Amino acid sequence: MTRPARSADTMPPSAAQLEDVLDAVRRDGGRVTRQRRLVIEIFFDQARWVTAAELVELVRPRWAGVNESTAYRILELLESLGHARHTHLGHGPAYWHRAGGDGHPLFCDRCGVVLSMPRAWLEPAVDRARDELGFEVDLDHFAWSGSCAACR
Amino acid sequence: MTRPARSADTMPPSAAQLEDVLDAVRRDGGRVTRQRRLVIEIFFDQARWVTAAELVELVRPRWAGVNESTAYRILELLESLGHARHTHLGHGPAYWHRAGGDGHPLFCDRCGVVLSMPRAWLEPAVDRARDELGFEVDLDHFAWSGSCAACR
DNA sequence: TTCTATGCAAATGTTTTGCAGGAGT
DNA sequence: ACTCCTGCAAAACATTTGCATAGAA
């Protein structure tokens, strides 16, 4: 059995995650097209949250022919596979980021930086919503915005 | 000096608040039109968060001629005067509610109902974000989503 | 009378969709 | 080959804006 030049566990995290995701796409019956490979790779490289339009801009230098609707479809696919999530920061377009962090995102709406807040800090509020209102909060579908230390 | 039949302090809370707001509109150089009086009155009567379109629907039985763009302009005016706030639930339109309550919106993904959670429940998390991360959370811009008791 | 607010329609910005042709498996 | 994917254009949707006119002060 021949090992590939670099096995997944020696690859940089984003490259390993990329291969995982492409496998998941195939397992789902999807095809790994040039657009998908490129868009997903660049998407996973971003530390920041990006809009669909920004993602297309980031892809453009490597391949100008990727359409915005394709980017939307790829992001939607990633989200359905649990590898991306999006949130709306008020007005304007949605912002996307790879899934997988333990923390909850805090977006600075001035500079776009993303901090993480430990999930545990939110548990009391989530518990009270459930116990006193019967409301089960879906923590994976929200984000908080505000301003970071550097911007204040 | 003749007193009006009901002075502000004997009116039900929403009516008293309505007069306050109409005064604020006038003080701001604005005019109290039939549309504004009606839309604001009905808006303030809502316990739930409502969209601009829903608000127009609520007004229609009392006056069918109120345009949606007028509703948007009135909501924007109220927000600029500090008497309304809006929040985005992810997809779809913004939801609006009178200011001054301490409710944080909880949006049910399944049936669309918007409940309110006391903001006090969130304070510990907001405080820790500020104290330990230097991040000032702006609670006004986001709802939490999940599923309500009826839908579970 | 003066100046603001409204209705209407058109523009804006974001996202989704239909469809014919192109590409992965 | 058999499907799925993509680009393009148009539609869908929420919201904003320009402008002539109605209406409050």
Side-chain angles (χ1 to χ4, degrees):
Chain A
M1 186 197 258
T2 338
R3 293 197 94 195
R6 307 182 74 193
S7 65
D9 59 308
T10 64
M11 289 179 181
S14 66
Q17 194 171 11
L18 176 62
E19 290 309 316
D20 286 350
V21 171
L22 295 183
D23 284 347
V25 167
R26 272 183 280 250
R27 239 178 291 118
D28 189 53
R31 278 140 200 209
V32 175
T33 63
R34 186 180 169 192
Q35 287 93 329
R36 286 186 170 179
R37 185 180 291 277
L38 198 50
V39 168
I40 294 173
E41 178 188 339
I42 290 175
F43 176 64
F44 273 72
D45 278 345
Q46 304 309 310
R48 283 174 30 87
W49 290 62
V50 295
T51 67
E54 284 169 356
L55 186 54
V56 169
E57 275 310 304
L58 289 164
V59 170
R60 195 182 306 283
R62 305 240 325 251
W63 190 14
V66 177
N67 192 272
E68 199 160 304
S69 66
T70 301
Y72 276 107
R73 285 189 269 229
I74 292 173
L75 289 169
E76 187 183 9
L77 171 66
L78 289 180
E79 188 163 61
S80 78
L81 295 174
H83 290 291
R85 51 196 176 124
H86 76 277
T87 165
H88 301 256
L89 301 182
H91 301 98
Y95 280 72
W96 296 77
H97 196 263
R98 58 174 177 271
D102 334 308
H104 278 278
L106 297 172
F107 303 94
C108 177
D109 38 27
R110 304 193 208 175
C111 70
V113 78
V114 185
L115 303 177
S116 252
M117 176 170 57
R119 201 174 276 250
W121 296 3
L122 301 169
E123 264 164 27
V126 171
D127 290 345
R128 292 190 79 168
R130 180 176 45 245
D131 298 344
E132 299 182 35
L133 301 173
F135 192 95
E136 186 68 44
V137 175
D138 173 13
L139 280 180
D140 285 334
H141 227 55
F142 85 92
W144 275 356
S145 64
S147 31
C148 71
C151 286
R152 293 193 294 128
Chain B
M1 186 199 257
T2 338
R3 292 196 96 195
R6 307 183 75 193
S7 65
D9 58 309
T10 62
M11 290 178 181
S14 67
Q17 194 172 11
L18 175 64
E19 290 309 317
D20 286 351
V21 172
L22 296 182
D23 283 349
V25 167
R26 274 184 279 251
R27 240 179 289 117
D28 188 52
R31 282 149 197 201
V32 175
T33 63
R34 185 178 168 192
Q35 287 93 330
R36 286 187 171 178
R37 185 179 292 276
L38 198 51
V39 168
I40 295 173
E41 177 188 341
I42 290 173
F43 176 64
F44 272 72
D45 278 345
Q46 303 310 309
R48 283 174 28 88
W49 292 64
V50 295
T51 66
E54 285 169 355
L55 185 54
V56 169
E57 275 312 302
L58 289 164
V59 170
R60 195 182 305 283
R62 304 243 324 252
W63 187 16
V66 176
N67 194 272
E68 198 160 303
S69 66
T70 301
Y72 276 106
R73 286 189 270 227
I74 292 173
L75 288 169
E76 187 182 10
L77 172 66
L78 288 180
E79 188 163 59
S80 78
L81 295 174
H83 290 291
R85 57 196 174 105
H86 75 275
T87 169
H88 301 264
L89 303 178
H91 303 285
Y95 279 71
W96 296 78
H97 197 264
R98 58 175 178 271
D102 81 327
H104 186 74
L106 296 173
F107 173 69
C108 178
D109 287 332
R110 305 192 206 174
C111 69
V113 75
V114 184
L115 304 175
S116 264
M117 171 171 63
R119 282 184 184 221
W121 297 1
L122 301 171
E123 261 163 32
V126 171
D127 290 346
R128 291 188 79 165
R130 180 176 45 246
D131 297 344
E132 300 182 35
L133 302 172
F135 192 94
E136 186 67 45
V137 174
D138 174 14
L139 277 184
D140 275 345
H141 261 78
F142 264 92
W144 277 9
S145 64
S147 31
C148 70
C151 287
R152 291 195 294 129

